[in-house]
Amino acid sequence: QENSFSITGQYRVRPELRHGYKTLAADTAKTAFFVGQRGRLIFDFKKDKISSKISIQDSRTWGDEEQKKDLSGLQVNEFWVEFGLQKGFSLKMGRQELAYDDHRLLGNLDWANLTISHDALLLKYADAKKKIKWHLGVAFNQNGEPLFGTTYTLKNYKTLGFSWIKKEFDKGHSLSGMAIINGMASTTVASKKMKATCTFGPLYNYYNKGVKAVLGVYYQGGKTDNNLDVSAFMLNAYAEKKIKRTSIGLGVDYLSGNSDNTLNTKSKNFNTLYATNHKFYGYMDYFLNIPVDAKERGLLNPYLRCSYAASKTTVLNLDLHQFLSANENKKGANKIGKNMGAEVDAVMEYRPSAVINLQLGYSMMFATNNMEYIKGGNNSNYNGWAFLMLKVTPVLFTHEFKN
């Protein structure tokens, strides 16, 4: 609503049962169980040409601190203000989530209790008649208030700059483009200057009469933080058809990686930067951090996605993933082939109201010996994961300002 002020609460609790989540279970591994939760208090303000959002949160695992101890636990998820300028422009500054398109490069990773936020300055432009949006963002990080120099020692980017533009067409077509400059503090002693990569590419979206299609192609070049020359790419394609209550989709992702012949001064690994990889590469998060989780060999992931609306309040989802390395590893004692295994993800979602959301999920990983070489553990053991997540988001207060 325009010219309004609201306060929203959010409580999310998620018990999880893990035995092979993120990595294969060893022979002596025991099943893990815990209860994680996240609570948020969100203030939204919009009046005239000024809008602001404050999101304070507490994220914890039940019992992760001793009783009768006053430990700091609150975090600022978002704290920004936006000023409306002239001719469709606005300026947004402060701590904010940067989530664009399908979250493959910039996403908020809302599945995690601690999501991805940025301290950034964002210039925005929108033309409702021409259906064009354009964003230009910059960020500069520092781990304190130094008297001299700008040396940055935390494991974040030092600088970030990006440009995003989107054009919507008739009949469900849209085309967007993203370019990101990611500057990292150098990790090499011989070269202390900041290293940066540039990632750019288009994304095409189509949705009409129950047919959905997505096609994205991205290239990445520049220098890694350890001074390697990067030349990498990512391709993702997806098509889905909805028939009455059922949706069936087929997709494939390809992320380039190093081969046995890649020079030690080069890198062909595509880095997904600040993406929401949980929604793309299996819910068990074996490939949450790419390229590290793929052992710098790249990733090929064909997948099948099915969804069935059992009722107005209940949806059943089933995803099937096949994981393959983009390149084999024929060096060393263990020759690692491409096929790493398959994953099955099943989720039931129940929404009895706009305030309550309940999800029940179960996943299994059917790994090969190649996955053992990459992740460790034993592929012959049971590798599964289950969760139950309840999310309640009541609107505690709302007020509409009169003109």
Side-chain angles (χ1 to χ4, degrees):
Q1 291 180 341
E2 295 296 330
N3 294 332
S4 65
F5 173 69
S6 66
I7 303 175
T8 304
Q10 181 190 106
Y11 177 72
R12 194 178 78 174
V13 61
R14 186 170 68 221
E16 295 186 38
L17 195 68
R18 296 179 173 180
H19 192 274
Y21 173 81
K22 280 192 177 182
T23 188
L24 299 178
D27 294 337
T28 57
K30 303 296 183 182
T31 300
F33 177 77
F34 63 92
V35 180
Q37 73 172 34
R38 182 179 76 192
R40 282 180 177 173
L41 193 60
I42 305 168
F43 302 85
D44 276 300
F45 174 85
K46 296 178 182 178
K47 192 174 190 300
D48 300 326
K49 291 186 177 182
I50 298 177
S51 61
S52 180
K53 183 176 181 179
I54 303 173
S55 175
I56 308 298
Q57 70 180 20
D58 175 77
S59 174
R60 64 179 61 242
T61 302
W62 286 10
D64 65 355
E65 61 185 50
E66 295 182 20
Q67 295 179 348
K68 298 182 180 180
K69 282 193 175 182
D70 185 16
L71 300 179
S72 176
L74 289 179
Q75 304 101 19
V76 178
N77 179 53
E78 290 190 273
F79 200 139
W80 54 261
V81 63
E82 184 172 350
F83 303 94
L85 305 176
Q86 300 295 324
K87 297 181 180 180
F89 285 93
S90 64
L91 189 65
K92 182 179 178 181
M93 63 183 71
R95 190 159 185 81
Q96 55 193 286
E97 293 181 347
L98 299 176
Y100 287 92
D101 295 325
D102 53 2
H103 296 209
R104 287 187 180 273
L105 294 175
L106 288 176
N108 59 358
L109 190 59
D110 189 58
W111 166 260
N113 284 332
L114 289 177
T115 55
I116 302 176
S117 299
H118 305 258
D119 301 308
L121 180 68
L122 188 62
L123 179 64
K124 301 167 64 177
Y125 171 77
D127 189 324
K129 291 184 178 179
K130 295 182 180 180
K131 298 181 180 180
I132 294 177
K133 294 180 181 179
W134 174 66
H135 291 185
L136 181 66
V138 292
F140 180 84
N141 287 336
Q142 190 59 273
N143 55 319
E145 299 180 358
L147 297 178
F148 303 99
T150 59
T151 301
Y152 189 63
T153 57
L154 300 183
K155 293 182 179 181
N156 301 320
Y157 57 79
K158 185 174 181 178
T159 62
L160 182 73
F162 70 92
S163 179
W164 172 81
I165 189 169
K166 182 177 182 179
K167 167 66 176 177
E168 295 183 6
F169 303 94
D170 295 333
K171 298 181 180 180
H173 297 261
S174 71
L175 182 64
S176 60
M178 173 74 78
I180 303 173
I181 297 177
N182 187 60
M184 303 290 293
S186 176
T187 60
T188 59
V189 177
S191 179
K192 288 293 186 180
K193 292 183 179 180
M194 185 186 71
K195 309 303 178 186
T197 60
C198 181
T199 307
F200 58 90
L203 180 71
Y204 171 76
N205 270 284
Y206 172 81
Y207 184 79
N208 189 29
K209 295 181 180 180
V211 177
K212 177 182 179 181
V214 180
L215 179 62
V217 182
Y218 301 95
Y219 176 79
Q220 192 169 79
K223 289 273 192 178
T224 65
D225 57 354
N226 56 345
N227 205 33
L228 300 180
D229 294 316
V230 180
S231 180
F233 68 94
M234 176 176 69
L235 168 68
N236 56 83
Y238 180 74
E240 179 182 289
K241 173 65 176 177
K242 183 177 182 180
I243 304 173
K244 295 182 180 180
R245 295 185 177 185
T246 304
S247 297
I248 300 177
L250 284 172
V252 62
D253 287 11
Y254 183 88
L255 294 88
S256 66
N258 289 341
S259 66
D260 290 342
N261 299 321
T262 302
L263 299 178
N264 57 11
T265 59
K266 307 289 184 180
S267 174
K268 295 183 179 180
N269 287 298
F270 189 93
N271 190 321
T272 55
L273 299 175
Y274 312 104
T276 305
N277 285 335
H278 175 81
K279 64 181 288 189
F280 299 114
Y281 310 120
Y283 292 163
M284 294 181 73
D285 290 341
Y286 271 62
F287 302 99
L288 192 65
N289 183 12
I290 298 174
V292 175
D293 287 343
K295 289 295 183 184
E296 300 186 347
R297 290 285 160 164
L299 180 66
L300 174 61
N301 172 213
Y303 60 94
L304 170 68
R305 181 163 291 165
C306 303
S307 178
Y308 174 70
S311 67
K312 292 182 179 180
T313 58
T314 305
V315 178
L316 306 176
N317 300 289
L318 180 67
D319 292 358
L320 305 176
H321 291 267
Q322 182 70 44
F323 297 116
L324 304 100
S325 292
N327 297 284
E328 293 182 347
N329 186 345
K330 297 181 180 180
K331 292 184 177 180
N334 294 321
K335 306 297 188 292
I336 304 177
K338 289 187 176 182
N339 184 19
M340 292 183 287
E343 180 178 329
V344 179
D345 301 320
V347 178
M348 182 191 73
E349 185 173 7
Y350 175 63
R351 292 178 178 240
S353 70
V355 175
I356 299 174
N357 181 287
L358 181 67
Q359 293 184 24
L360 174 63
Y362 178 74
S363 300
M364 283 190 68
M365 171 64 72
F366 301 92
T368 67
N369 291 332
N370 297 320
M371 186 75 83
E372 275 190 30
Y373 300 143
I374 293 175
K375 288 288 186 176
N378 190 340
N379 71 300
S380 299
N381 291 332
Y382 165 78
N383 292 285
W385 169 68
F387 74 91
L388 177 66
M389 184 168 69
L390 173 66
K391 183 178 178 181
V392 183
T393 54
V395 178
L396 304 177
F397 174 82
T398 184
H399 174 72
E400 188 172 350
F401 300 106
K402 294 182 180 180
N403 295 328

